[in-house]
Amino acid sequence: MKTVVITGSTRGIGRGLAENFLASGCRVVISARSQEKVDEAVKELRAVHGEAAVTGIACDITSEQDLAGLWAFASATGPVDIWINNAGMSIVRKSLWEQSADDLRNIVDTNLTGLLLACKVALAGMLDQGHGQIWNMEGFGSTGQTNAGMAAYGATKRALNYLTASLQKEVKGTAVQVNTLSPGIVVTDLLVGDYDFSSAEWQKTRKILNILGDTVETVTPFLVRGILGAHKSGTRVAWLTGRKAFWRFLTAGFNKRDLFAGYDSQPA
């Protein structure tokens, strides 16, 4: 039974990954900043998968002490086989000069500094135990995409790929692997929170997202299968490939779907 640690896993993609790892027979350790949210998620998951299969602990990834505590908690009963750096944040889409300094510091502290610290802790633990896989979660900007209003978020995700490539060189010759997950465009609160639903820009963006986007329930089973089937450092598991995106646009006229209908009915 493999032990899997997922940061930021009480909701969204992280929660979907946890559910699919559990369904595959893995032991899962979930985490989030709030212990209350962790306890609630653990209770819900145990009701389906059993008490022994899932545990959880609060962890703020900007704190090295919290991350060390997460590693100690997860490894107390055996080695950590898979560590997924999923936790992250976004800020409202607007031009850089309109962003607050606090928001810019927070997104860098979480998406980049937090990632560095998480990799530091997980790598040290895995090298000590003699094996393990680290998976870093790509996002918009990771492979060079640019868009207005996404300067800060995209910069942190571009840095993620540089870090991942560098760490792959650092672990060369060991039994530790550093890999990449690319979920594509997944409808989560993190994605939806970036947009003003009353704006004309949103109506244009919505059409594109309905072509290229998918739900957590669609994407996460694919990602988990890819992770469990990976055996070498440098593996990239990607849901939305260029070929798939091309086919989506080609057949868009025949596939009328609205991934955001549920959000329209929510109060402002």
Side-chain angles (χ1 to χ4, degrees), residues 64-99:
E64 185 178 5
Q65 183 177 356
D66 276 15
L67 287 161
L70 174 58
W71 177 271
F73 179 83
S75 62
T77 57
V80 174
D81 301 289
I82 297 169
W83 176 291
I84 300 175
N85 287 314
N86 172 69
M89 65 170 289
S90 64
I91 53 179
V92 175
R93 288 170 58 104
K94 54 186 177 183
S95 298
L96 183 64
W97 59 87
E98 298 177 302
Q99 301 283 6

Side-chain angles (χ1 to χ4, degrees), residues 146-157:
T146 59
N147 205 348
M150 298 288 286
Y153 180 85
T156 63
K157 288 300 181 178

